[in-house]
Amino acid sequence: MRIIEAFVILPLVFAFLIPFVKEKGKGIIVIMVILINALLSSYFAVNSLLGKSYEFFLPGSLISGLIPIRIDSLSGWFILIINFVFITGCFYGLFYMKAYKKQKNSISLHAISFIILHSTLISLCVIQNSLVFLVVWEIMALSAFLVIIFENEKSATVKAGINYLIQSHVCILFLMFGFIWAAIDQNSFDFKNISLFTSGNDGKAIILFLIFFIGFAIKSGFVPFHTWLPYAHPAAPAHISGIMSGVIIKIGIFGILRMILLIKPDYTLIGYIILTVSVISGLYGVMQAIIQHNLKKLLAYHSIENIGIIGIGIGIGCIGMGSGNQTLTTLGFAGALLHTLNHGLFKSLLFYTAGNVYQATHTLNIENLGGLVKKMPQTTFLFLIAAIAISGIPPFNGFVSEFLIYNGLYSWLHNATLAALITIVFSILALVLIGGLAMLCFTKAFGIVFLGNPRQQFNHEVKEVSLFQLIPLYLIAFFIVFIGLFPDLFLNVLNYPVSLFTGILDKNFKPFNTVVAIRSISQTMWVLILVVILVFSIRRFITRKKSIVTLTTWGCGYVGIATKTQYTANSFIRPYRKLFKPFLLIFKHKKNIEGIFPDSAHYESHSYDKIEKMLIDNPIRAYKSFLGKFVFLQNGKLQFYIIYGITFILAVICIPIIYKIFFIFIEFLKQL
Amino acid sequence: MLSFILILIAAAFFTGIIIRTKSIFSGRKGPGILQPVKDVIRLFRKGAVYSQTTSFVFQIAPSIYFASVFMAMLVVPFGQYKGLISFNGDFIFFAYILALGKFFSIISAMDTGSSFEGMGASREALYSMLAEPAFFILMGSLALLTGHLSFQEIFATLHIGSYITYALAILATFVILMIAMIENSRMPIDDPKTHLELTMIHEVMILDNSGFDLGLILTAGYLKFAVYGALIVNLFVGVIPYEYTIPMFFIIQFLVAVAIGTIESFMARFRMGHNAQFIFALTSVSLLIFFGALLILGKFI
């Protein structure tokens, strides 16, 4: 109990301290508060993952009533992910922000919002009072907004921030609607009443669930609610992008999982709905990611893809719950939960390395980069690990969670109906395509940014970031490899969270070791590593005395400087772009070379999100043109505005009076 | 273990047989069957030339590529006899471990900073991505048909069934053969003997590799052929005892090699732009197999 009070008070006290200390002190305070809060919350989280669950009641106020704080293993899992990503992100951020030392006021605000963001995210995992939940959610959304718009002197950043702010309020609107509906009926804000509210009424349960699903889907970036994400990520500083992709969008996943547990709708139906949305998100996310030439925007679209993979896991888990197929439930939810962690790891690592690239070169446009491996070998190495992991390729962690989901899908084959079979085939198809496209995308990103020759000369020296800045990155990379090599350790931790969904707490029920040969996977990974080392050392041994010559790259006999003839990102994806044309929206501006004495020619292409155009831009344009019809009202003449004002005041006064008279008149008519 | 040795032996001859078939069809005597192996041994003894643009990626990529194919080889069973590694869902691992090799071969091509190699890399990434769904759906339908989830169990039980399974097996042979052609960058997709860098896929990616590294890449290619050949063999052998299946293994591998040689002798490479459609059409053949499996199991009724 005391711990919880400390948890609330501590960040507040230190947040007030921050403006009064120097820049270095701010950093120390932030990391200290994050560490202490992480320790406090991890204590509960670890215990809850070991099977203990906690329930506290905070007094609350007259309006909110008692505030129940319930920590179960699901909250525990998410709290641990949040803490890990925040600690590494904060540590990385300390060094990343050094370049912005002079903007004292912005840094204070940034530091305060950062602390608040951390505490609110953890609180959201445990608070089970809908009113307080909404308030905390709002604080979280606002503090996230503040940390995103750190570079607010750039108009693009502010625009992205406002976009985020609006969309996150649409999200809150949905959540508010859902919570109020349940609360009015039950006359209490406790989450438990949501279960009571929906029990025994399938229609109501599904509608309520869908309302919450849309709300949380906006936060987590499911297509078609994803449009804020590709703007917000590139606008934010690197450590914030990493945290945002790593945990902030995951709080939406947490919300969906919590609602699955609370509302008990027709699981099969919602399973299919979630699966469909997720398959679309996964495919669409990665399809858009490939054509992006801003490194961070590319990564942002990959977040949408990975949310899709997590969603596929949740979807098949729900279908398993609906049909009583415990293996499917376990594999689906275990895959989803593990992928939540995995994505948090490799995506934050990717964003941090992208941050390093930005720090060194001051650009994120892939087409201007190249050859960074020579200047920044460590960043290159870390990016490579994360890129392999995110493509779901063994021996790293991305493979393990995708393997679980694949196994779920394949094991479902044996007792599925026709409809289910077709769903399985298309889900497998989607998952395979997502994997292949992710590989295409990351070979492009890695190959163009880090390999080859520099495509542009910079006026400043491009050099590796400091070793301290790389430490948190190595820590993340370590976990990426560790989960890949010892997946069974992490799956054992997942026993309790998954049992919330299956309802089985039997120690003998271990589908991870029977259906999924997770131990064999880990052994096979070791064999793989051994084989690689063996082959490589044989190579070293045999070639040690052989002559090694270094020459230019083969260019069909051309030996001049060939940096301009290198393959570019745009040309790398050209075959893909042609093939997937119907799903993409690409604008080209070009001037061809014409005539005997041609003058300058140019070619330029940029892409735009097709769904954003259809679902956001077009309706807004229609709305604007509708409102444009009334633009005569806004004629800039003061007299008119005064008239409007008077009309409004009169209307406010008169309408109730008229209404009353009208009412009396009706009553009078009735009496006749 | 059995499959491991058999695949190694088959790999030694496979490419030689293809080359020999092509020579005979074009009216030449052609090199000996073991010439590709001799070539590789010669390469292993040579020194190497590296481009000054390359980095550590270029150094490790061939080893990882070889290791990935080697790991894939360990997973392949021989009828009822398990591969050295066998577990539920090993075919997923099979496809993904090959993807690891491809990932590295693509980035090692990008590492040279050459315009040609980027071209090959881009095509390889796209085509291998398009070929993968066919394999996964094929294995899905076999898993559905047999009720098992690992290579060995699937292949061991595949045989017991009606004659429709043979029809499916033939379709499956076609799919695997075509995937093998795509993975190895052979004829209808890619012409290994073309002399223009602009029209190559795989060959152009390894332009800058030489010496031991090139030897590793070539060996991996031979192994890959034999691995896919072994998969085709597996579709037919089932639980027949090994006295019969071992000769069968070599006969089928031989036939596959001859078939590839014949295809290469009489077909021209597709236009690059049409490759994608062709590869994706394989997925629909796999879907056909899937519906065949549904028919057999009576799920349609």
Side-chain angles (χ1 to χ4, degrees):
Chain A
M1 195 69 187
R2 291 274 157 237
I3 294 180
I4 290 177
E5 277 154 14
F7 179 83
V8 178
I9 292 165
L10 202 85
L12 284 178
V13 170
F14 280 104
F16 279 113
L17 264 179
I18 280 178
F20 301 104
V21 292
K22 286 203 165 154
E23 274 61 53
K24 218 168 206 175
K26 282 173 191 164
I28 292 167
I29 287 183
V30 171
I31 201 155
M32 208 173 69
V33 176
I34 299 275
L35 272 176
I36 294 174
N37 257 351
L39 270 180
L40 291 181
S41 51
S42 297
Y43 167 74
F44 290 108
V46 169
N47 272 326
S48 70
L49 282 173
L50 294 174
K52 241 173 163 181
S53 57
Y54 297 88
E55 188 171 25
F56 307 107
F57 288 96
L58 294 184
S61 68
L62 193 63
I63 304 164
S64 65
L66 275 182
I67 304 172
I69 305 275
R70 297 196 186 93
I71 308 172
D72 59 1
S73 43
L74 184 67
S75 330
W77 179 253
F78 276 86
I79 289 176
L80 286 185
I81 297 177
I82 291 169
N83 283 339
F84 183 79
V85 175
F86 259 89
I87 290 171
T88 50
C90 178
F91 202 79
Y92 175 79
L94 281 187
F95 297 94
Y96 184 81
M97 297 303 271
K98 266 189 182 165
Y100 302 95
K101 227 191 255 171
K102 290 196 180 124
Q103 309 174 8
K104 285 180 186 159
N105 297 330
S106 311
I107 284 193
S108 296
L109 187 62
H110 189 78
I112 294 171
S113 333
F114 192 81
I115 295 175
I116 292 176
L117 186 62
H118 179 228
S119 343
T120 46
L121 276 172
I122 289 175
S123 316
L124 284 174
C125 295
V126 296
I127 290 174
Q128 297 230 340
N129 176 309
S130 38
L131 188 68
V132 180
F133 184 90
L134 278 174
V135 172
V136 176
W137 185 277
E138 174 72 30
I139 298 173
M140 185 269 293
L142 287 178
S143 52
F145 168 70
L146 288 175
V147 290
I148 288 171
I149 58 156
F150 174 71
E151 288 183 86
N152 49 28
E153 69 279 359
K154 292 183 187 163
S155 66
T157 306
V158 176
K159 213 176 156 195
I162 300 282
N163 192 340
Y164 162 76
L165 196 67
I166 292 171
Q167 298 221 26
S168 58
H169 279 86
V170 177
C171 151
I172 291 170
L173 197 69
F174 275 99
L175 297 186
M176 211 190 287
F177 187 74
F179 280 129
I180 287 177
W181 190 20
I184 286 178
D185 195 83
Q186 294 291 317
N187 210 8
S188 155
F189 289 118
D190 195 335
F191 273 14
K192 272 194 175 154
N193 293 307
I194 297 177
S195 313
L196 294 176
F197 172 59
T198 51
S199 64
N201 189 339
D202 255 358
K204 208 157 71 175
I206 284 178
I207 294 173
L208 188 66
F209 180 80
L210 285 182
I211 291 169
F212 279 121
F213 179 71
I214 293 174
F216 287 122
I218 294 173
K219 192 82 213 170
S220 45
F222 280 101
V223 172
F225 313 110
H226 66 282
T227 47
W228 64 273
L229 231 141
Y231 292 104
H233 281 76
H239 59 292
I240 299 303
S241 315
I243 285 170
M244 196 153 57
S245 194
V247 291
I248 297 183
I249 62 172
K250 301 298 164 45
I251 205 75
I253 296 288
F254 172 78
I256 291 170
L257 289 173
R258 179 60 76 204
M259 286 306 150
I260 288 173
L261 287 175
L262 286 175
I263 306 171
K264 295 186 173 54
D266 180 357
Y267 284 121
T268 317
L269 179 66
I270 61 154
Y272 279 110
I273 294 173
I274 295 177
L275 193 59
T276 317
V277 174
S278 311
V279 163
I280 295 171
S281 305
L283 281 175
Y284 188 77
V286 70
M287 278 177 189
Q288 289 293 327
I290 294 176
I291 54 171
Q292 302 305 323
H293 293 323
N294 178 316
L295 189 55
K296 271 183 162 180
K297 204 166 181 183
L298 179 149
L299 296 176
Y301 271 110
H302 265 286
S303 298
I304 299 168
E305 173 229 315
N306 278 286
I307 286 292
I309 295 176
I310 294 171
I312 291 175
I314 296 176
I316 61 174
C318 282
I319 295 171
M321 279 169 97
S323 56
N325 184 344
Q326 299 292 10
T327 320
L328 186 59
T329 316
T330 315
L331 292 179
F333 284 112
L337 287 171
L338 190 63
H339 201 75
T340 311
L341 168 66
N342 288 345
H343 179 240
L345 294 175
F346 49 62
K347 188 46 73 61
S348 52
L349 182 53
L350 284 169
F351 270 117
Y352 300 158
T353 42
N356 287 354
V357 170
Y358 182 69
Q359 250 186 343
T361 63
H362 307 318
T363 179
L364 280 172
N365 186 352
I366 295 181
E367 301 282 27
N368 294 340
L369 297 165
L372 288 180
V373 62
K374 300 264 168 50
K375 310 270 174 50
M376 314 172 75
Q378 303 196 51
T379 303
T380 310
F381 176 68
L382 290 165
F383 190 94
L384 178 62
I385 287 182
I388 295 174
I390 198 174
S391 310
I393 291 174
F396 298 141
N397 62 358
F399 175 70
V400 178
S401 40
E402 286 190 27
F403 185 74
L404 284 179
I405 296 174
Y406 270 120
N407 258 297
L409 285 167
Y410 276 113
S411 66
W412 181 17
L413 275 174
H414 302 320
N415 39 24
T417 57
L418 186 63
L421 280 170
I422 291 169
T423 316
I424 296 170
V425 165
F426 281 102
S427 309
I428 291 177
L429 197 68
L431 214 49
V432 176
L433 274 179
I434 291 172
L437 289 168
M439 193 173 102
L440 178 71
C441 188
F442 275 97
T443 46
K444 167 196 137 178
F446 182 74
I448 302 289
V449 173
F450 292 100
L451 304 178
N453 283 313
R455 287 177 177 74
Q456 193 189 352
Q457 295 304 323
F458 295 103
N459 295 328
H460 46 85
E461 193 195 359
V462 177
K463 59 172 196 286
E464 184 69 272
V465 296
S466 71
L467 189 63
F468 284 112
Q469 192 171 344
L470 288 169
I471 288 174
L473 277 61
Y474 276 110
L475 186 66
I476 301 173
F478 169 76
F479 272 97
I480 288 176
V481 180
F482 191 70
I483 297 177
L485 295 180
F486 300 98
D488 38 343
L489 286 181
F490 285 81
L491 286 174
N492 283 337
V493 175
L494 274 174
N495 269 340
Y496 280 99
V498 170
S499 72
L500 289 176
F501 296 95
T502 54
I504 302 177
L505 261 177
D506 186 4
K507 284 254 178 327
N508 298 320
F509 181 70
K510 281 183 179 163
F512 300 135
N513 294 328
T514 53
V515 180
V516 186
I518 211 68
R519 198 148 295 156
S520 319
I521 275 289
S522 107
Q523 285 159 1
T524 314
M525 302 287 194
W526 282 109
V527 177
L528 169 68
I529 288 177
L530 277 181
V531 171
V532 170
I533 292 173
L534 196 70
V535 173
F536 196 69
S537 28
I538 290 175
R539 175 182 176 275
R540 279 292 283 279
F541 180 73
I542 292 183
T543 57
R544 73 191 188 286
K545 279 180 190 162
K546 299 276 155 49
S547 71
I548 303 287
V549 187
T550 309
L551 285 172
T552 46
T553 302
W554 166 248
C556 270
Y558 179 71
V559 287
I561 299 160
T563 48
K564 283 221 160 171
T565 62
Q566 279 184 100
Y567 235 50
T568 60
N570 207 359
S571 45
F572 188 81
I573 57 152
R574 189 172 171 274
Y576 159 83
R577 214 179 55 211
K578 296 263 173 215
L579 198 64
F580 284 74
K581 217 174 187 177
F583 304 103
L584 309 171
L585 196 64
I586 292 167
F587 301 105
K588 286 182 198 163
H589 306 284
K590 62 176 172 184
K591 192 174 160 226
N592 288 331
I593 298 171
E594 279 162 355
I596 302 167
F597 301 107
D599 44 338
S600 69
H602 66 91
Y603 175 85
E604 190 188 318
S605 73
H606 62 269
S607 60
Y608 195 72
D609 193 325
K610 204 166 192 173
I611 290 185
E612 185 179 358
K613 191 178 163 68
M614 285 191 311
L615 292 181
I616 307 269
D617 293 356
N618 288 349
I620 286 181
R621 194 177 307 132
Y623 181 64
K624 265 186 179 167
S625 81
F626 173 73
L627 288 185
K629 305 269 185 280
F630 302 98
V631 85
F632 67 89
L633 292 171
Q634 190 191 15
N635 50 15
K637 286 179 186 150
L638 193 60
Q639 297 92 320
F640 276 89
Y641 292 153
I642 293 172
I643 287 183
Y644 299 154
I646 293 173
T647 322
F648 177 73
I649 293 169
L650 279 180
V652 168
I653 298 168
C654 293
I655 286 174
I657 298 172
I658 294 170
Y659 179 75
K660 210 170 181 182
I661 293 169
F662 183 70
F663 195 72
I664 293 167
F665 181 66
I666 300 274
E667 287 294 304
F668 175 71
L669 283 183
K670 272 186 187 165
Q671 281 173 13
L672 285 179
Chain B
M1 195 63 201
L2 192 57
S3 63
F4 178 69
I5 297 165
L6 288 175
I7 291 174
L8 276 185
I9 299 170
F13 295 101
F14 204 99
T15 316
I17 295 173
I18 297 177
I19 294 172
R20 197 58 183 268
T21 317
K22 282 167 76 175
S23 323
I24 291 171
F25 275 121
S26 57
R28 288 179 287 124
K29 188 163 167 256
I33 300 281
L34 283 177
Q35 189 58 41
V37 181
K38 288 178 190 160
D39 286 346
V40 165
I41 292 172
R42 193 192 68 225
L43 282 172
F44 280 152
R45 290 213 203 105
K46 283 194 164 184
V49 182
Y50 292 105
S51 159
Q52 60 211 15
T53 316
T54 56
S55 64
F56 75 94
V57 174
F58 195 76
Q59 300 281 334
I60 57 170
S63 307
I64 293 179
Y65 180 65
F66 178 82
S68 81
V69 177
F70 187 82
M71 287 304 290
M73 190 172 84
L74 297 185
V75 175
V76 175
F78 181 56
Q80 52 188 325
Y81 305 101
K82 285 183 179 173
L84 280 178
I85 296 169
S86 173
F87 50 87
N88 274 342
D90 50 4
F91 57 90
I92 304 167
F93 177 77
F94 176 83
Y96 270 80
I97 197 75
L98 286 178
L100 173 70
K102 262 175 266 169
F103 191 97
F104 271 92
S105 70
I106 292 168
I107 58 173
S108 101
M110 304 288 288
D111 198 14
T112 59
S114 143
S115 47
F116 304 124
E117 294 183 39
M119 209 176 280
S122 143
R123 289 171 185 161
E124 170 96 353
L126 183 68
Y127 296 156
S128 59
M129 179 271 291
L130 290 172
E132 258 168 25
F135 178 76
F136 274 84
I137 292 176
L138 171 68
M139 290 317 295
S141 20
L142 296 183
L144 173 66
L145 205 58
T146 56
H148 290 290
L149 282 177
S150 78
F151 262 144
Q152 183 261 340
E153 287 169 327
I154 288 173
F155 288 134
T157 41
L158 185 63
H159 220 58
I160 312 155
S162 68
Y163 283 101
I164 300 182
T165 42
Y166 283 96
L168 289 188
I170 289 166
L171 272 183
T173 311
F174 173 73
V175 172
I176 294 184
L177 188 63
M178 280 302 142
I179 293 176
M181 303 295 260
I182 298 162
E183 291 279 329
N184 284 293
S185 309
R186 301 304 285 215
M187 197 49 122
I189 306 301
D190 182 15
D191 186 356
K193 285 280 166 261
T194 180
H195 289 289
L196 182 61
E197 283 88 346
L198 298 176
T199 59
M200 300 176 182
I201 299 175
H202 182 69
E203 298 303 307
V204 76
M205 288 171 68
I206 53 172
L207 274 179
D208 268 279
N209 286 95
S210 55
F212 195 86
D213 286 347
L214 185 61
L216 276 182
I217 293 171
L218 290 182
T219 319
Y222 304 157
L223 285 177
K224 234 181 188 180
F225 258 132
V227 164
Y228 279 101
L231 280 186
I232 294 174
V233 173
N234 271 315
L235 288 174
F236 296 98
V237 293
V239 283
I240 306 170
Y242 64 87
E243 300 94 75
Y244 303 102
T245 48
I246 290 177
M248 246 174 99
F249 177 88
F250 288 111
I251 293 170
I252 294 178
Q253 289 271 20
F254 178 76
L255 288 178
V256 171
V258 171
I260 293 173
T262 319
I263 294 174
E264 298 218 325
S265 303
F266 292 101
M267 269 185 91
R269 188 178 59 74
F270 288 151
R271 268 180 59 191
M272 272 309 168
H274 290 182
N275 269 345
Q277 295 156 17
F278 170 74
I279 297 171
F280 214 65
L282 274 185
T283 308
S284 46
V285 178
S286 311
L287 279 176
L288 213 63
I289 297 174
F290 183 74
F291 287 118
L294 287 185
L295 265 183
I296 292 173
L297 294 174
K299 291 268 185 187
F300 270 130
I301 306 151

